[in-house]
Amino acid sequence: MITLHHLENSRSHRILWLLEELGVSHELKPYRRDQKTSLAPPELLRVHPLGKSPVITDGDLTIAESGAIVEYLVDRYGNGALIPPPGSPERLRYTYWLHFAEGTAMPYLVMKLVFNRIEKGPMPFFARPIARKIVGRVKGGFIDPNLERIVAYIETELGRSDWFAGDVFTAADIQMSMPVTAATARVGARPAMTRFLERIHARPSYRRAIEKGGELAILS
Ligand SMILES: N[C@@H](CCC(=O)N[C@@H](CS)C(=O)NCC(=O)O)C(=O)O
């Protein structure tokens, strides 16, 4: 039996959604974020040394990192579903987006959130002008230009086909759902990204994952 260690309002939603898409039976173990810090509770450290979510256990196996979990579940339980055939151009696009989500897009999106929080957070009044300057430089010179490029690229790619790997929905779309949702909240809505979000929100398995695991309220 698979157990999904599910942190509320987190990347773990993708794994719950994937399990629903594949129709794989599983147990959901919910964890709440710390009210003040939004961090995961220490109990998750007992499951995996990094204490992050998602993480799954399947028999003796413990698997962390959403991309690795997606690959494991699709290989082990997919029977060829949600992945393009090996050797096809779609398969290469699939692999690319599966890695792009956490390898390229999410680091900038998390940096944006952290620097937004520094800007808005409490600090001594005399430190605020200096903090504002530093935050402005990092955002303006590094984070924002990279995010603009990433969003423009995603828009172009979603203009080529409905789904990231081509005309057929795959697990790469599940993996990319988080960066597209976070980019919409932190960079701004774009037409192709909005249509992509409408398509995924309409999937019954996506709705079931929300019903079981809770709403996704992405911070901006
Ligand atoms: N790249 C990892 C990121 C895991 C991660 O940072 N998860 C967040 C939730 S979205 C988390 O556990 N945050 C709580 C914390 O850092 O304490 C993945 O995709 O699994």
Side-chain angles (χ1 to χ4, degrees), residues 7 10-11 14 33 38-40 51-54 65-67 102:
L7 180 66
S10 80
R11 288 162 168 95
R14 291 184 293 203
R33 287 180 185 269
S38 299
L39 293 176
K52 307 264 181 205
S53 175
E65 195 60 52
S66 7
E102 290 296 321

